[in-house]
Amino acid sequence: MAGAASQEKDGGGSGAGHGALRIGILAYPGCFASEVFGVPDLLTMAGHVAGPDAPGYRVSIVSPRRRVTASGGASLDVRSLLEVDVLVVPGFELHPETNLDARLALLAPEIAAIRGQAAAGTAVVSLCVGAFLLAEAGLLDGRRATTSWLHAGELARRCPQADVRPEHLVVTDAGVTTTAAFSAMYDFALDLIRRHNGSRVARATARVALVDDARTSQTPYVDPQLLPQPGREFAQRVMRRLDQNLAERYDLTALSDAFQVSTRTLLRRFAQETGRSPLAHLQTSRIRRARHLLETTERTVAAVATAVGYQDPGTFAALFARHTGHRPSAYRAAFRRTDRSSTQAVPGGTGS
């Protein structure tokens, strides 16, 4: 992205002035530039869909700093913090090597601004890991919240007073909204459009932008292999054995014998190192394998169930739905990988 970004944009033509919802996007060093502009751009589309007589959106990029460089070296023009109806806090790059304490310490001016805006009655929204700034500002204490499934555990650890819901895409609790990873900014924006302009405009905007307006959970997107692995050597060896024998019947005694420990010792050591049971890990691994088979093969649901160790398709389907939020056939319809032409209908899609 070259050059400096515009400080302010109206979403909705002439309607942006009359009854316009005032939205401030809080820019800060290293924030995701795409999240700074993603919500405003979708609101601009909504304004065109709604028409010039509908209430629109007045969006400003704001900061307590005079200059802000976002991700990728994008230089942003920013305005001073001003009175807004909604303050949106984008996310930032968070990887295992990130010193989160140091990162948040550098953002003390933004965290103070968030706290001040909330105290003034402004609705505050975080996108993705922007939730960590809200947590640091004390806004998540006693509230339900969500963030990227990849970092939900860390958010829960750092903010034990929050009720972190990693399965949700968007959570609003007492004037504070948090969203899941990256593209969930569009789920939030569509919800905002729905509340401000109605369901018809939200649906039409989603179709114009090719955005899914029917998602309800981030659970189907979770890849357990990408989650931080807390296990130590013993648990890792147990997990490896279970993963290599997914189709076999779970036998705790045989598993304990294989590692020359009692069942009680195996359960205790595994729980100490991972926080869960071997059976829970096995179920997660089986579901991960089942998802892959449903996405990439033509096997029947019953055949997939057998391949991952379940003789009863009904039991498998219930467990699969509990883990992913979808029955197996619905999951396949939504996530089936295909080499067919992109001009064909998307499986499970609503069409336009």
Side-chain angles (χ1 to χ4, degrees):
M1 183 182 300
S6 173
Q7 293 180 355
E8 182 175 76
K9 63 191 296 184
D10 288 346
S14 61
H18 180 66
L21 194 66
R22 301 168 300 174
I23 299 172
I25 311 295
L26 183 66
Y28 57 87
C31 65
F32 279 133
S34 55
E35 292 188 2
V36 171
F37 298 111
V39 170
D41 285 346
L42 199 64
L43 296 182
T44 296
M45 295 183 193
H48 293 308
V49 169
D53 296 327
Y57 307 88
R58 186 173 296 279
V59 184
S60 302
I61 301 174
V62 299
S63 175
R65 305 170 190 262
R66 296 181 62 184
R67 298 179 181 83
V68 172
T69 301
S71 62
S75 177
L76 305 179
D77 276 352
V78 295
R79 298 185 60 171
S80 299
L81 286 166
L82 69 168
E83 185 177 354
V84 294
D85 301 306
V86 181
L87 182 71
V88 179
V89 181
F92 58 93
E93 184 181 11
L94 178 58
H95 50 81
E97 291 74 35
T98 300
N99 184 331
L100 192 51
D101 288 324
R103 185 82 168 85
L104 293 172
L106 292 173
L107 298 178
E110 285 76 14
I111 292 167
I114 292 168
R115 189 181 298 117
Q117 289 284 325
T122 302
V124 178
V125 180
S126 68
L127 306 178
C128 192
V129 298
F132 285 93
L133 278 75
L134 271 59
E136 199 72 9
L139 269 59
L140 301 188
D141 292 353
R143 286 185 168 98
R144 292 175 293 112
T146 191
T147 188
S148 162
W149 59 264
L150 190 60
H151 303 293
E154 176 65 13
L155 180 65
R157 185 189 69 79
R158 293 181 66 92
C159 189
Q161 297 85 4
D163 179 7
V164 179
R165 307 288 182 91
E167 71 277 14
H168 291 336
L169 285 167
V170 180
V171 173
T172 299
D173 191 340
V176 174
T177 297
T178 49
T179 77
F182 199 73
S183 69
M185 63 180 168
Y186 297 121
D187 296 275
F188 155 70
L190 288 173
D191 186 60
L192 182 66
I193 295 164
R194 190 175 297 111
R195 294 171 184 270
H196 195 56
N197 293 120
S199 296
R200 182 194 64 81
V201 174
R203 285 194 301 270
T205 302
R207 282 154 178 72
V208 169
L210 296 182
V211 174
D212 187 354
D213 64 340
R215 299 195 304 176
T216 59
S217 172
Q218 62 176 319
T219 301
Y221 302 91
V222 175
D223 184 346
Q225 290 184 310
L226 297 179
L227 289 168
Q229 297 296 321
R232 298 173 189 157
E233 183 181 354
F234 178 76
Q236 291 288 352
R237 289 192 289 121
V238 174
M239 289 189 287
R240 190 177 306 114
R241 183 180 181 89
L242 291 170
D243 292 346
Q244 291 171 348
N245 300 279
L246 293 181
E248 293 185 4
R249 183 177 67 88
Y250 177 68
D251 186 332
L252 179 60
T253 299
L255 186 63
S256 301
D257 290 344
F259 291 94
Q260 300 180 331
V261 295
S262 67
T263 57
R264 183 175 180 178
T265 296
L266 185 141
L267 291 173
R268 176 179 55 81
R269 291 183 62 183
F270 195 91
Q272 285 177 341
E273 295 184 8
T274 68
R276 56 180 179 167
S277 69
L279 179 58
H281 170 79
L282 177 62
Q283 289 175 338
T284 299
S285 294
R286 283 173 166 174
I287 296 302
R288 181 177 68 244
R289 176 61 178 166
R291 286 167 54 180
H292 176 75
L293 293 175
L294 290 168
E295 292 172 12
T296 61
T297 75
E298 299 292 344
R299 297 190 196 184
T300 65
V301 171
V304 170
T306 300
V308 297
Y310 295 99
Q311 299 306 311
D312 179 10
T315 299
F316 163 71
L319 184 66
F320 189 91
R322 189 161 74 245
H323 278 257
T324 68
H326 292 274
R327 302 287 288 185
S329 56
Y331 181 89
R332 168 172 274 164
F335 294 95
R336 179 82 170 94
R337 301 178 192 174
T338 177
D339 293 329
R340 291 179 299 173
S341 171
S342 60
T343 61
Q344 294 183 348
V346 177
T350 57
S352 58

